[in-house]
Amino acid sequence: SQKIEQNSEALNIQEGKTATLTCNYTNYSPAYLQWYRQDPGRGPVFLLLIRENEKEKRKERLKVTFDTTLKQSLFHITASQPADSATYLCALVGSDMRFGAGTRLTVKP
Amino acid sequence: DTGVSQNPRHKITKRGQNVTFRCDPISEHNRLYWYRQTLGQGPEFLTYFQNEAQLEKSRLLSDRFSAERPKGSFSTLEIQRTEQGDSAMYLCASSLSAGTGGQSNQPQHFGDGTRLSIL
């Protein structure tokens, strides 16, 4: 069956460090992969989209990689700040759209 | 603010009652999606519309659930004969799509959801 796994439910890092979040999938062939941020009690907010033929995408302090051989996407936040604390969701877009369960990131000052 | 608006934000009801939620998408968006999200999980797709046409429904969607988008603008999601397991956050999202069907790669803009609690 199709499965999307995001690394550990929670990730704690120190301010200024780089946060790396992982999204692995099985039995799925997404054409696109999107990353969203979700704050408590709010809806997800779109951050970045990467296509299957793209290896890497950047936006300000954010970087996404997409490896269709490994069936994995990595999401990096460089120079992390306490304001980056949130849950980050990956979403795979293929024949349908599926979200992972998310990783809760806490950046400590 | 021209974002996605959902009402009500919270709904508490007794088991067996019917509930209806409303979603007002971003006005120029032709696609509208409904999702359900439970604690610690990502949004789970329920159904989507392109303009007024309902193009896809999840196999997981019980026949107690029905959604409409009568004029291709706002949408309603109704749950009949609510059950304890229906307690969740119901999210609406909208996007633009140039295609006439299938998944779109366009970012989805989400509302802040309606939290449903079944007593």
Side-chain angles (χ1 to χ4, degrees):
Chain A
S1 63
Q2 296 170 341
K3 190 181 284 187
I4 303 171
E5 291 183 340
Q6 293 193 239
N7 65 318
S8 66
E9 285 186 14
L11 181 65
N12 298 318
I13 65 168
Q14 207 66 34
E15 182 176 8
K17 300 293 185 184
T18 296
T20 298
L21 285 67
T22 304
C23 178
N24 294 297
Y25 59 93
T26 56
N27 297 321
Y28 203 80
S29 297
Y32 310 92
L33 193 146
Q34 299 179 354
W35 283 88
Y36 288 79
R37 168 186 173 139
Q38 187 171 26
D39 291 287
R42 307 297 300 273
V45 175
F46 172 78
L47 296 174
L48 279 171
L49 175 149
I50 188 166
R51 293 175 170 76
E52 61 177 338
N53 60 353
E54 295 178 317
K55 296 296 184 187
E56 182 179 298
K57 204 77 166 285
R58 291 175 185 261
K59 179 182 175 183
E60 297 172 353
R61 294 184 296 111
L62 309 180
K63 184 178 86 171
V64 174
T65 63
F66 192 11
D67 189 326
T68 55
T69 301
L70 291 179
K71 295 186 181 296
Q72 179 182 80
S73 174
L74 298 179
F75 178 79
H76 306 273
I77 306 174
T78 57
S80 60
Q81 305 165 0
D84 295 326
S85 298
T87 294
Y88 292 85
L89 300 161
C90 68
L92 276 59
V93 184
S95 57
D96 59 7
M97 181 160 171
R98 292 172 183 258
F99 282 85
T103 297
R104 188 172 66 252
L105 173 67
T106 302
V107 180
K108 299 185 177 179
Chain B
D1 182 79
T2 57
V4 177
S5 176
Q6 291 190 246
N7 288 289
R9 289 298 312 278
H10 303 276
K11 179 71 177 178
I12 301 173
T13 192
K14 293 182 179 179
R15 183 169 53 91
Q17 298 295 305
N18 299 345
V19 294
T20 300
F21 312 138
R22 177 179 170 124
C23 172
D24 288 273
I26 293 172
S27 58
E28 58 267 31
H29 285 180
N30 55 352
R31 286 210 176 178
L32 186 149
Y33 303 80
W34 284 100
Y35 293 87
R36 175 171 58 195
Q37 186 175 27
T38 53
L39 199 61
Q41 299 299 313
E44 176 188 29
F45 170 77
L46 295 178
T47 187
Y48 87 92
F49 294 82
Q50 178 140 330
N51 300 312
E52 65 276 7
Q54 189 173 16
L55 296 188
E56 189 174 338
K57 290 195 294 187
S58 167
R59 288 190 297 272
L60 302 174
L61 198 62
S62 159
D63 58 7
R64 297 183 296 105
F65 287 69
S66 62
E68 294 183 342
R69 193 183 184 197
K71 297 181 180 178
S73 56
F74 74 92
S75 175
T76 58
L77 177 68
E78 181 183 16
I79 309 174
Q80 296 182 325
R81 304 181 304 280
T82 52
E83 301 173 356
Q84 292 279 346
D86 296 332
S87 294
M89 175 77 86
Y90 290 84
L91 292 164
C92 173
S94 69
S95 74
L96 279 170
S97 175
T100 55
Q103 288 298 322
S104 167
N105 67 328
Q106 293 300 307
Q108 294 187 16
H109 299 257
F110 283 82
D112 286 334
T114 295
R115 180 167 297 284
L116 174 64
S117 298
I118 307 297
L119 301 177

